[in-house]
Amino acid sequence: MENRREYFDRAKVVLDRVKILIFISELQSKQWLAWTDEEKVRLRSQPALVPLSINDEMAFVAGIACTLNTPSFSTEKMMEKRQLLRDSARKEMGLTDNDMLVMSLSSINSGKGQHLLLESGRLVIEKEAFQEKSSIKNPVDIKLRQFKSTKKHRLRAVFQKLNGSLGSDVTHRKKTLDSGGRDQSVKILIGSIGSKSNKVVYVKELLNFLSQHSNMSKSVMWTPATTRVAALYSAADVYVINSQGLGETFGRVTIEAMTFGLPVLGTDAGGTKEIVEHNVTGLLHSIGRPGAPVLAENLRFLLKNPLTRKEMGKKGREKVKRMYLKRHMYKKFVDVLIKCMRPK
């Protein structure tokens, strides 16, 4: 699972006796092949690639057809229940319809990049707060806007006399444009799934960062080790996989988030870039501190463009149905087993 040299070093003494190696991402396969060349280890065959999948329980709750569906619990029925689950979970969190919930669910350590996520969130939240404050700061601007508004209403009255339907059409289009992104705010949920990789010292660093930025602390929520991941995915609007370096081979949480129709903001490294299609199912940013402002811009973009957010989530969900269900993983694994049984 993890792309660490220590695991290769433990395994290299027996690799020449293994009939075939199976990896979960292309990046992991290439890395191990590089290490075998470096150590002059001769493999008996080329590695195979079998990506992970979501389990049937997750697909069932998300409303994707699987073995658990029955006439009483069809995909349509589960989609209705999923909406109820979303409403309930968001109400429990104290969220409104105007809150964009950004979730990161993983072990909490520096390799997962939660600190950088908080820095990105701060850039968005503080900028939104500044813009909101400055928008009511200058009374001259207010009077100018009032004058323009009065002038616009007079013009609209003239057009309505010329064409009765024109005024209503303009109003309708204005409402359509204004419905996206207005008064939206970012909320960040950082969660752990009970991993032994959680680092107490790192958690303290995150809490210290929040204590220094009061605006941020009001917008960040925490969830302890939990198995209620389906409720969290249902409640969320955006998923962030901010793993740093080559350690992330294939984040199962990434395809789980996509299953629930969430656009994914991920690092352009590791296995994430093999799953997330930039500008299609999500947006990518570079690792490390240089990536923080880019992640902030991506968060701000999705905040202001809810329709794009939904479209990316829809395409991510379609990709899961096409590539990451259990039947897809089993078929690939069976193909590998058949290959292994063939005599050379």
mmCIF file of all heavy atoms in Angstrom, residues 132-179:
data_model
loop_
_atom_site.group_PDB
_atom_site.id
_atom_site.type_symbol
_atom_site.label_atom_id
_atom_site.label_comp_id
_atom_site.label_asym_id
_atom_site.label_seq_id
_atom_site.Cartn_x
_atom_site.Cartn_y
_atom_site.Cartn_z
ATOM 1 N N GLU A 132 -16.001 41.088 2.470
ATOM 2 C CA GLU A 132 -17.305 41.375 3.074
ATOM 3 C C GLU A 132 -17.256 42.672 3.864
ATOM 4 O O GLU A 132 -18.172 43.489 3.823
ATOM 5 C CB GLU A 132 -17.722 40.220 3.982
ATOM 6 C CG GLU A 132 -19.083 40.412 4.605
ATOM 7 C CD GLU A 132 -19.485 39.247 5.474
ATOM 8 O OE1 GLU A 132 -18.800 38.206 5.432
ATOM 9 O OE2 GLU A 132 -20.477 39.366 6.210
ATOM 10 N N LYS A 133 -16.146 42.874 4.584
ATOM 11 C CA LYS A 133 -15.987 44.080 5.398
ATOM 12 C C LYS A 133 -15.836 45.310 4.521
ATOM 13 O O LYS A 133 -16.447 46.351 4.764
ATOM 14 C CB LYS A 133 -14.772 43.924 6.307
ATOM 15 C CG LYS A 133 -14.593 45.062 7.299
ATOM 16 C CD LYS A 133 -13.419 44.785 8.211
ATOM 17 C CE LYS A 133 -13.239 45.930 9.209
ATOM 18 N NZ LYS A 133 -12.096 45.693 10.120
ATOM 19 N N SER A 134 -15.019 45.206 3.470
ATOM 20 C CA SER A 134 -14.759 46.361 2.609
ATOM 21 C C SER A 134 -15.965 46.725 1.763
ATOM 22 O O SER A 134 -16.108 47.866 1.333
ATOM 23 C CB SER A 134 -13.557 46.087 1.701
ATOM 24 O OG SER A 134 -13.815 44.984 0.848
ATOM 25 N N SER A 135 -16.869 45.764 1.531
ATOM 26 C CA SER A 135 -18.030 46.037 0.682
ATOM 27 C C SER A 135 -19.010 47.006 1.332
ATOM 28 O O SER A 135 -19.810 47.634 0.645
ATOM 29 C CB SER A 135 -18.753 44.725 0.351
ATOM 30 O OG SER A 135 -19.310 44.166 1.518
ATOM 31 N N ILE A 136 -18.937 47.143 2.671
ATOM 32 C CA ILE A 136 -19.839 48.081 3.349
ATOM 33 C C ILE A 136 -19.065 49.213 4.018
ATOM 34 O O ILE A 136 -19.569 49.919 4.862
ATOM 35 C CB ILE A 136 -20.681 47.346 4.409
ATOM 36 C CG1 ILE A 136 -19.753 46.678 5.442
ATOM 37 C CG2 ILE A 136 -21.597 46.342 3.779
ATOM 38 C CD1 ILE A 136 -20.499 46.062 6.608
ATOM 39 N N LYS A 137 -17.829 49.367 3.612
ATOM 40 C CA LYS A 137 -16.952 50.308 4.290
ATOM 41 C C LYS A 137 -17.114 51.737 3.793
ATOM 42 O O LYS A 137 -17.086 52.689 4.555
ATOM 43 C CB LYS A 137 -15.497 49.846 4.105
ATOM 44 C CG LYS A 137 -14.493 50.571 4.984
ATOM 45 C CD LYS A 137 -13.122 49.932 4.835
ATOM 46 C CE LYS A 137 -12.110 50.613 5.736
ATOM 47 N NZ LYS A 137 -10.772 50.030 5.617
ATOM 48 N N ASN A 138 -17.279 51.894 2.489
ATOM 49 C CA ASN A 138 -17.247 53.222 1.878
ATOM 50 C C ASN A 138 -18.664 53.703 1.542
ATOM 51 O O ASN A 138 -19.307 53.189 0.639
ATOM 52 C CB ASN A 138 -16.405 53.173 0.596
ATOM 53 C CG ASN A 138 -16.079 54.571 0.102
ATOM 54 O OD1 ASN A 138 -16.787 55.521 0.389
ATOM 55 N ND2 ASN A 138 -14.999 54.671 -0.656
ATOM 56 N N PRO A 139 -19.189 54.728 2.241
ATOM 57 C CA PRO A 139 -20.546 55.210 1.976
ATOM 58 C C PRO A 139 -20.702 55.803 0.580
ATOM 59 O O PRO A 139 -21.789 55.802 0.016
ATOM 60 C CB PRO A 139 -20.755 56.285 3.050
ATOM 61 C CG PRO A 139 -19.368 56.694 3.468
ATOM 62 C CD PRO A 139 -18.528 55.473 3.322
ATOM 63 N N VAL A 140 -19.603 56.323 0.015
ATOM 64 C CA VAL A 140 -19.663 56.853 -1.355
ATOM 65 C C VAL A 140 -20.003 55.739 -2.332
ATOM 66 O O VAL A 140 -20.809 55.896 -3.245
ATOM 67 C CB VAL A 140 -18.316 57.519 -1.737
ATOM 68 C CG1 VAL A 140 -18.361 57.973 -3.190
ATOM 69 C CG2 VAL A 140 -18.032 58.696 -0.804
ATOM 70 N N ASP A 141 -19.363 54.555 -2.146
ATOM 71 C CA ASP A 141 -19.642 53.412 -3.007
ATOM 72 C C ASP A 141 -21.092 52.977 -2.887
ATOM 73 O O ASP A 141 -21.727 52.582 -3.871
ATOM 74 C CB ASP A 141 -18.718 52.239 -2.640
ATOM 75 C CG ASP A 141 -17.274 52.519 -3.027
ATOM 76 O OD1 ASP A 141 -17.066 53.399 -3.879
ATOM 77 O OD2 ASP A 141 -16.376 51.861 -2.468
ATOM 78 N N ILE A 142 -21.627 53.042 -1.652
ATOM 79 C CA ILE A 142 -23.013 52.637 -1.433
ATOM 80 C C ILE A 142 -23.954 53.546 -2.220
ATOM 81 O O ILE A 142 -24.875 53.105 -2.897
ATOM 82 C CB ILE A 142 -23.363 52.681 0.075
ATOM 83 C CG1 ILE A 142 -22.531 51.622 0.831
ATOM 84 C CG2 ILE A 142 -24.845 52.450 0.297
ATOM 85 C CD1 ILE A 142 -22.724 51.642 2.326
ATOM 86 N N LYS A 143 -23.724 54.868 -2.131
ATOM 87 C CA LYS A 143 -24.561 55.820 -2.846
ATOM 88 C C LYS A 143 -24.466 55.624 -4.357
ATOM 89 O O LYS A 143 -25.443 55.728 -5.086
ATOM 90 C CB LYS A 143 -24.162 57.242 -2.485
ATOM 91 C CG LYS A 143 -24.555 57.629 -1.052
ATOM 92 C CD LYS A 143 -24.210 59.082 -0.769
ATOM 93 C CE LYS A 143 -24.657 59.470 0.647
ATOM 94 N NZ LYS A 143 -24.338 60.876 0.962
ATOM 95 N N LEU A 144 -23.237 55.315 -4.837
ATOM 96 C CA LEU A 144 -23.039 55.091 -6.264
ATOM 97 C C LEU A 144 -23.832 53.871 -6.724
ATOM 98 O O LEU A 144 -24.474 53.888 -7.767
ATOM 99 C CB LEU A 144 -21.545 54.902 -6.565
ATOM 100 C CG LEU A 144 -21.180 54.692 -8.043
ATOM 101 C CD1 LEU A 144 -21.632 55.905 -8.865
ATOM 102 C CD2 LEU A 144 -19.685 54.476 -8.183
ATOM 103 N N ARG A 145 -23.786 52.814 -5.921
ATOM 104 C CA ARG A 145 -24.532 51.608 -6.271
ATOM 105 C C ARG A 145 -26.038 51.890 -6.265
ATOM 106 O O ARG A 145 -26.776 51.383 -7.107
ATOM 107 C CB ARG A 145 -24.200 50.470 -5.298
ATOM 108 C CG ARG A 145 -22.834 49.819 -5.550
ATOM 109 C CD ARG A 145 -22.761 48.449 -4.890
ATOM 110 N NE ARG A 145 -22.921 48.553 -3.443
ATOM 111 C CZ ARG A 145 -21.908 48.742 -2.594
ATOM 112 N NH1 ARG A 145 -20.679 48.847 -3.061
ATOM 113 N NH2 ARG A 145 -22.124 48.810 -1.295
ATOM 114 N N GLN A 146 -26.492 52.690 -5.279
ATOM 115 C CA GLN A 146 -27.910 53.021 -5.214
ATOM 116 C C GLN A 146 -28.342 53.821 -6.443
ATOM 117 O O GLN A 146 -29.415 53.608 -7.003
ATOM 118 C CB GLN A 146 -28.199 53.825 -3.944
ATOM 119 C CG GLN A 146 -28.099 52.990 -2.669
ATOM 120 C CD GLN A 146 -28.244 53.845 -1.428
ATOM 121 O OE1 GLN A 146 -28.084 55.070 -1.485
ATOM 122 N NE2 GLN A 146 -28.537 53.208 -0.299
ATOM 123 N N PHE A 147 -27.455 54.756 -6.868
ATOM 124 C CA PHE A 147 -27.760 55.557 -8.060
ATOM 125 C C PHE A 147 -27.870 54.664 -9.294
ATOM 126 O O PHE A 147 -28.795 54.779 -10.092
ATOM 127 C CB PHE A 147 -26.673 56.611 -8.264
ATOM 128 C CG PHE A 147 -26.762 57.329 -9.595
ATOM 129 C CD1 PHE A 147 -27.739 58.297 -9.812
ATOM 130 C CD2 PHE A 147 -25.875 57.017 -10.624
ATOM 131 C CE1 PHE A 147 -27.825 58.952 -11.031
ATOM 132 C CE2 PHE A 147 -25.971 57.668 -11.839
ATOM 133 C CZ PHE A 147 -26.947 58.639 -12.043
ATOM 134 N N LYS A 148 -26.890 53.737 -9.432
ATOM 135 C CA LYS A 148 -26.895 52.828 -10.586
ATOM 136 C C LYS A 148 -28.128 51.946 -10.565
ATOM 137 O O LYS A 148 -28.721 51.645 -11.593
ATOM 138 C CB LYS A 148 -25.616 51.974 -10.582
ATOM 139 C CG LYS A 148 -24.364 52.750 -10.942
ATOM 140 C CD LYS A 148 -23.149 51.831 -10.954
ATOM 141 C CE LYS A 148 -21.892 52.586 -11.393
ATOM 142 N NZ LYS A 148 -20.701 51.695 -11.380
ATOM 143 N N SER A 149 -28.518 51.504 -9.373
ATOM 144 C CA SER A 149 -29.690 50.650 -9.250
ATOM 145 C C SER A 149 -30.951 51.390 -9.670
ATOM 146 O O SER A 149 -31.799 50.867 -10.385
ATOM 147 C CB SER A 149 -29.827 50.156 -7.801
ATOM 148 O OG SER A 149 -30.982 49.379 -7.656
ATOM 149 N N THR A 150 -31.082 52.656 -9.220
ATOM 150 C CA THR A 150 -32.252 53.466 -9.586
ATOM 151 C C THR A 150 -32.310 53.683 -11.095
ATOM 152 O O THR A 150 -33.366 53.555 -11.722
ATOM 153 C CB THR A 150 -32.186 54.832 -8.875
ATOM 154 O OG1 THR A 150 -32.121 54.619 -7.468
ATOM 155 C CG2 THR A 150 -33.420 55.662 -9.205
ATOM 156 N N LYS A 151 -31.147 53.965 -11.659
ATOM 157 C CA LYS A 151 -31.062 54.184 -13.102
ATOM 158 C C LYS A 151 -31.446 52.909 -13.861
ATOM 159 O O LYS A 151 -32.154 52.952 -14.876
ATOM 160 C CB LYS A 151 -29.648 54.618 -13.475
ATOM 161 C CG LYS A 151 -29.474 54.981 -14.952
ATOM 162 C CD LYS A 151 -28.049 55.467 -15.205
ATOM 163 C CE LYS A 151 -27.861 55.819 -16.674
ATOM 164 N NZ LYS A 151 -26.472 56.261 -16.951
ATOM 165 N N LYS A 152 -31.002 51.775 -13.347
ATOM 166 C CA LYS A 152 -31.283 50.496 -14.006
ATOM 167 C C LYS A 152 -32.778 50.192 -13.976
ATOM 168 O O LYS A 152 -33.355 49.711 -14.953
ATOM 169 C CB LYS A 152 -30.501 49.372 -13.313
ATOM 170 C CG LYS A 152 -30.716 47.987 -13.921
ATOM 171 C CD LYS A 152 -29.772 46.963 -13.311
ATOM 172 C CE LYS A 152 -30.071 46.762 -11.858
ATOM 173 N NZ LYS A 152 -29.206 45.714 -11.254
ATOM 174 N N HIS A 153 -33.432 50.483 -12.837
ATOM 175 C CA HIS A 153 -34.860 50.235 -12.727
ATOM 176 C C HIS A 153 -35.647 51.113 -13.700
ATOM 177 O O HIS A 153 -36.659 50.694 -14.273
ATOM 178 C CB HIS A 153 -35.338 50.496 -11.297
ATOM 179 C CG HIS A 153 -34.978 49.391 -10.354
ATOM 180 N ND1 HIS A 153 -35.386 48.095 -10.539
ATOM 181 C CD2 HIS A 153 -34.223 49.400 -9.214
ATOM 182 C CE1 HIS A 153 -34.924 47.331 -9.570
ATOM 183 N NE2 HIS A 153 -34.209 48.093 -8.750
ATOM 184 N N ARG A 154 -35.196 52.377 -13.891
ATOM 185 C CA ARG A 154 -35.862 53.262 -14.835
ATOM 186 C C ARG A 154 -35.759 52.726 -16.261
ATOM 187 O O ARG A 154 -36.721 52.737 -17.027
ATOM 188 C CB ARG A 154 -35.252 54.668 -14.763
ATOM 189 C CG ARG A 154 -35.610 55.411 -13.472
ATOM 190 C CD ARG A 154 -34.865 56.724 -13.394
ATOM 191 N NE ARG A 154 -35.182 57.447 -12.160
ATOM 192 C CZ ARG A 154 -34.516 58.521 -11.744
ATOM 193 N NH1 ARG A 154 -33.510 59.000 -12.485
ATOM 194 N NH2 ARG A 154 -34.852 59.119 -10.618
ATOM 195 N N LEU A 155 -34.567 52.254 -16.597
ATOM 196 C CA LEU A 155 -34.363 51.691 -17.939
ATOM 197 C C LEU A 155 -35.223 50.446 -18.131
ATOM 198 O O LEU A 155 -35.786 50.224 -19.207
ATOM 199 C CB LEU A 155 -32.879 51.339 -18.136
ATOM 200 C CG LEU A 155 -31.931 52.524 -18.344
ATOM 201 C CD1 LEU A 155 -30.488 52.036 -18.356
ATOM 202 C CD2 LEU A 155 -32.254 53.253 -19.653
ATOM 203 N N ARG A 156 -35.294 49.615 -17.085
ATOM 204 C CA ARG A 156 -36.083 48.391 -17.190
ATOM 205 C C ARG A 156 -37.554 48.727 -17.424
ATOM 206 O O ARG A 156 -38.240 48.056 -18.201
ATOM 207 C CB ARG A 156 -35.938 47.566 -15.911
ATOM 208 C CG ARG A 156 -36.722 46.249 -15.971
ATOM 209 C CD ARG A 156 -36.511 45.445 -14.704
ATOM 210 N NE ARG A 156 -35.127 45.062 -14.576
ATOM 211 C CZ ARG A 156 -34.623 44.537 -13.457
ATOM 212 N NH1 ARG A 156 -35.367 44.369 -12.389
ATOM 213 N NH2 ARG A 156 -33.340 44.199 -13.413
ATOM 214 N N ALA A 157 -38.050 49.818 -16.762
ATOM 215 C CA ALA A 157 -39.443 50.219 -16.936
ATOM 216 C C ALA A 157 -39.712 50.606 -18.388
ATOM 217 O O ALA A 157 -40.761 50.293 -18.954
ATOM 218 C CB ALA A 157 -39.765 51.387 -16.002
ATOM 219 N N VAL A 158 -38.736 51.300 -19.002
ATOM 220 C CA VAL A 158 -38.869 51.692 -20.407
ATOM 221 C C VAL A 158 -38.944 50.467 -21.299
ATOM 222 O O VAL A 158 -39.790 50.351 -22.185
ATOM 223 C CB VAL A 158 -37.692 52.602 -20.832
ATOM 224 C CG1 VAL A 158 -37.742 52.861 -22.331
ATOM 225 C CG2 VAL A 158 -37.727 53.906 -20.054
ATOM 226 N N PHE A 159 -38.030 49.499 -21.057
ATOM 227 C CA PHE A 159 -38.002 48.287 -21.881
ATOM 228 C C PHE A 159 -39.281 47.473 -21.717
ATOM 229 O O PHE A 159 -39.777 46.870 -22.670
ATOM 230 C CB PHE A 159 -36.791 47.424 -21.524
ATOM 231 C CG PHE A 159 -35.521 47.898 -22.154
ATOM 232 C CD1 PHE A 159 -34.423 48.212 -21.366
ATOM 233 C CD2 PHE A 159 -35.412 48.022 -23.526
ATOM 234 C CE1 PHE A 159 -33.245 48.654 -21.942
ATOM 235 C CE2 PHE A 159 -34.229 48.457 -24.111
ATOM 236 C CZ PHE A 159 -33.140 48.784 -23.316
ATOM 237 N N GLN A 160 -39.824 47.472 -20.502
ATOM 238 C CA GLN A 160 -41.036 46.697 -20.266
ATOM 239 C C GLN A 160 -42.208 47.259 -21.055
ATOM 240 O O GLN A 160 -43.081 46.523 -21.501
ATOM 241 C CB GLN A 160 -41.372 46.695 -18.769
ATOM 242 C CG GLN A 160 -40.484 45.741 -17.964
ATOM 243 C CD GLN A 160 -40.785 45.793 -16.480
ATOM 244 O OE1 GLN A 160 -41.214 46.833 -15.985
ATOM 245 N NE2 GLN A 160 -40.572 44.689 -15.786
ATOM 246 N N LYS A 161 -42.224 48.577 -21.222
ATOM 247 C CA LYS A 161 -43.278 49.180 -22.027
ATOM 248 C C LYS A 161 -43.145 48.771 -23.487
ATOM 249 O O LYS A 161 -44.117 48.600 -24.195
ATOM 250 C CB LYS A 161 -43.228 50.708 -21.908
ATOM 251 C CG LYS A 161 -43.671 51.220 -20.532
ATOM 252 C CD LYS A 161 -43.587 52.729 -20.465
ATOM 253 C CE LYS A 161 -44.011 53.245 -19.089
ATOM 254 N NZ LYS A 161 -43.907 54.726 -18.986
ATOM 255 N N LEU A 162 -41.881 48.657 -23.947
ATOM 256 C CA LEU A 162 -41.633 48.255 -25.334
ATOM 257 C C LEU A 162 -41.907 46.779 -25.552
ATOM 258 O O LEU A 162 -42.400 46.355 -26.577
ATOM 259 C CB LEU A 162 -40.181 48.577 -25.725
ATOM 260 C CG LEU A 162 -39.807 50.059 -25.761
ATOM 261 C CD1 LEU A 162 -38.308 50.204 -25.991
ATOM 262 C CD2 LEU A 162 -40.586 50.780 -26.859
ATOM 263 N N ASN A 163 -41.561 45.996 -24.581
ATOM 264 C CA ASN A 163 -41.711 44.536 -24.709
ATOM 265 C C ASN A 163 -41.977 43.962 -23.329
ATOM 266 O O ASN A 163 -41.091 43.891 -22.496
ATOM 267 C CB ASN A 163 -40.433 43.933 -25.307
ATOM 268 C CG ASN A 163 -40.615 42.451 -25.608
ATOM 269 O OD1 ASN A 163 -41.470 41.787 -25.043
ATOM 270 N ND2 ASN A 163 -39.806 41.955 -26.524
ATOM 271 N N GLY A 164 -43.182 43.552 -23.067
ATOM 272 C CA GLY A 164 -43.569 43.117 -21.733
ATOM 273 C C GLY A 164 -42.770 41.963 -21.194
ATOM 274 O O GLY A 164 -42.601 41.819 -19.989
ATOM 275 N N SER A 165 -42.268 41.100 -22.071
ATOM 276 C CA SER A 165 -41.554 39.913 -21.588
ATOM 277 C C SER A 165 -40.091 40.179 -21.312
ATOM 278 O O SER A 165 -39.417 39.381 -20.670
ATOM 279 C CB SER A 165 -41.659 38.791 -22.623
ATOM 280 O OG SER A 165 -41.027 39.189 -23.823
ATOM 281 N N LEU A 166 -39.561 41.274 -21.808
ATOM 282 C CA LEU A 166 -38.128 41.513 -21.684
ATOM 283 C C LEU A 166 -37.711 41.707 -20.234
ATOM 284 O O LEU A 166 -36.737 41.125 -19.773
ATOM 285 C CB LEU A 166 -37.730 42.750 -22.493
ATOM 286 C CG LEU A 166 -36.242 43.132 -22.464
ATOM 287 C CD1 LEU A 166 -35.414 41.993 -23.029
ATOM 288 C CD2 LEU A 166 -35.999 44.395 -23.238
ATOM 289 N N GLY A 167 -38.511 42.521 -19.495
ATOM 290 C CA GLY A 167 -38.143 42.789 -18.111
ATOM 291 C C GLY A 167 -38.099 41.528 -17.285
ATOM 292 O O GLY A 167 -37.174 41.309 -16.521
ATOM 293 N N SER A 168 -39.098 40.630 -17.435
ATOM 294 C CA SER A 168 -39.130 39.404 -16.642
ATOM 295 C C SER A 168 -37.988 38.483 -17.011
ATOM 296 O O SER A 168 -37.443 37.770 -16.168
ATOM 297 C CB SER A 168 -40.471 38.684 -16.835
ATOM 298 O OG SER A 168 -40.662 38.366 -18.210
ATOM 299 N N ASP A 169 -37.593 38.478 -18.297
ATOM 300 C CA ASP A 169 -36.489 37.628 -18.733
ATOM 301 C C ASP A 169 -35.168 38.089 -18.124
ATOM 302 O O ASP A 169 -34.364 37.283 -17.683
ATOM 303 C CB ASP A 169 -36.388 37.669 -20.261
ATOM 304 C CG ASP A 169 -35.269 36.789 -20.770
ATOM 305 O OD1 ASP A 169 -35.299 35.577 -20.514
ATOM 306 O OD2 ASP A 169 -34.350 37.345 -21.400
ATOM 307 N N VAL A 170 -34.962 39.426 -18.081
ATOM 308 C CA VAL A 170 -33.750 39.969 -17.477
ATOM 309 C C VAL A 170 -33.690 39.604 -16.007
ATOM 310 O O VAL A 170 -32.658 39.194 -15.482
ATOM 311 C CB VAL A 170 -33.705 41.504 -17.653
ATOM 312 C CG1 VAL A 170 -32.560 42.085 -16.832
ATOM 313 C CG2 VAL A 170 -33.533 41.869 -19.123
ATOM 314 N N THR A 171 -34.859 39.763 -15.334
ATOM 315 C CA THR A 171 -34.910 39.424 -13.910
ATOM 316 C C THR A 171 -34.583 37.966 -13.690
ATOM 317 O O THR A 171 -33.833 37.604 -12.788
ATOM 318 C CB THR A 171 -36.317 39.731 -13.345
ATOM 319 O OG1 THR A 171 -36.629 41.087 -13.590
ATOM 320 C CG2 THR A 171 -36.366 39.457 -11.852
ATOM 321 N N HIS A 172 -35.137 37.086 -14.530
ATOM 322 C CA HIS A 172 -34.896 35.651 -14.392
ATOM 323 C C HIS A 172 -33.420 35.323 -14.563
ATOM 324 O O HIS A 172 -32.842 34.560 -13.795
ATOM 325 C CB HIS A 172 -35.713 34.877 -15.436
ATOM 326 C CG HIS A 172 -35.369 33.426 -15.504
ATOM 327 N ND1 HIS A 172 -35.715 32.530 -14.523
ATOM 328 C CD2 HIS A 172 -34.666 32.721 -16.432
ATOM 329 C CE1 HIS A 172 -35.260 31.330 -14.840
ATOM 330 N NE2 HIS A 172 -34.629 31.418 -15.999
ATOM 331 N N ARG A 173 -32.786 35.924 -15.567
ATOM 332 C CA ARG A 173 -31.373 35.635 -15.816
ATOM 333 C C ARG A 173 -30.513 36.137 -14.668
ATOM 334 O O ARG A 173 -29.530 35.510 -14.285
ATOM 335 C CB ARG A 173 -30.931 36.268 -17.134
ATOM 336 C CG ARG A 173 -31.293 35.420 -18.350
ATOM 337 C CD ARG A 173 -30.728 36.012 -19.609
ATOM 338 N NE ARG A 173 -31.447 37.221 -19.977
ATOM 339 C CZ ARG A 173 -30.850 38.268 -20.536
ATOM 340 N NH1 ARG A 173 -29.553 38.269 -20.728
ATOM 341 N NH2 ARG A 173 -31.555 39.322 -20.873
ATOM 342 N N LYS A 174 -30.870 37.295 -14.109
ATOM 343 C CA LYS A 174 -30.108 37.850 -12.994
ATOM 344 C C LYS A 174 -30.199 36.922 -11.786
ATOM 345 O O LYS A 174 -29.215 36.647 -11.118
ATOM 346 C CB LYS A 174 -30.627 39.240 -12.629
ATOM 347 C CG LYS A 174 -29.814 39.905 -11.517
ATOM 348 C CD LYS A 174 -30.329 41.281 -11.207
ATOM 349 C CE LYS A 174 -29.428 41.985 -10.197
ATOM 350 N NZ LYS A 174 -29.311 41.272 -8.946
ATOM 351 N N LYS A 175 -31.415 36.393 -11.543
ATOM 352 C CA LYS A 175 -31.579 35.474 -10.412
ATOM 353 C C LYS A 175 -30.767 34.203 -10.628
ATOM 354 O O LYS A 175 -30.191 33.653 -9.701
ATOM 355 C CB LYS A 175 -33.060 35.127 -10.241
ATOM 356 C CG LYS A 175 -33.883 36.264 -9.648
ATOM 357 C CD LYS A 175 -35.326 35.834 -9.455
ATOM 358 C CE LYS A 175 -36.147 36.946 -8.815
ATOM 359 N NZ LYS A 175 -37.568 36.567 -8.663
ATOM 360 N N THR A 176 -30.729 33.738 -11.871
ATOM 361 C CA THR A 176 -29.966 32.534 -12.172
ATOM 362 C C THR A 176 -28.491 32.743 -11.906
ATOM 363 O O THR A 176 -27.814 31.892 -11.321
ATOM 364 C CB THR A 176 -30.165 32.128 -13.651
ATOM 365 O OG1 THR A 176 -31.557 31.954 -13.885
ATOM 366 C CG2 THR A 176 -29.415 30.853 -13.967
ATOM 367 N N LEU A 177 -27.967 33.902 -12.332
ATOM 368 C CA LEU A 177 -26.547 34.185 -12.111
ATOM 369 C C LEU A 177 -26.244 34.382 -10.634
ATOM 370 O O LEU A 177 -25.241 33.895 -10.122
ATOM 371 C CB LEU A 177 -26.160 35.445 -12.895
ATOM 372 C CG LEU A 177 -26.132 35.313 -14.424
ATOM 373 C CD1 LEU A 177 -25.943 36.679 -15.043
ATOM 374 C CD2 LEU A 177 -25.041 34.363 -14.873
ATOM 375 N N ASP A 178 -27.134 35.076 -9.934
ATOM 376 C CA ASP A 178 -26.888 35.376 -8.523
ATOM 377 C C ASP A 178 -27.021 34.156 -7.627
ATOM 378 O O ASP A 178 -26.551 34.155 -6.505
ATOM 379 C CB ASP A 178 -27.865 36.453 -8.035
ATOM 380 C CG ASP A 178 -27.502 37.832 -8.554
ATOM 381 O OD1 ASP A 178 -26.440 37.964 -9.187
ATOM 382 O OD2 ASP A 178 -28.285 38.750 -8.350
ATOM 383 N N SER A 179 -27.686 33.105 -8.135
ATOM 384 C CA SER A 179 -27.932 31.948 -7.276
ATOM 385 C C SER A 179 -26.659 31.181 -6.977
ATOM 386 O O SER A 179 -26.623 30.365 -6.066
ATOM 387 C CB SER A 179 -28.943 31.008 -7.942
ATOM 388 O OG SER A 179 -28.387 30.476 -9.141
#
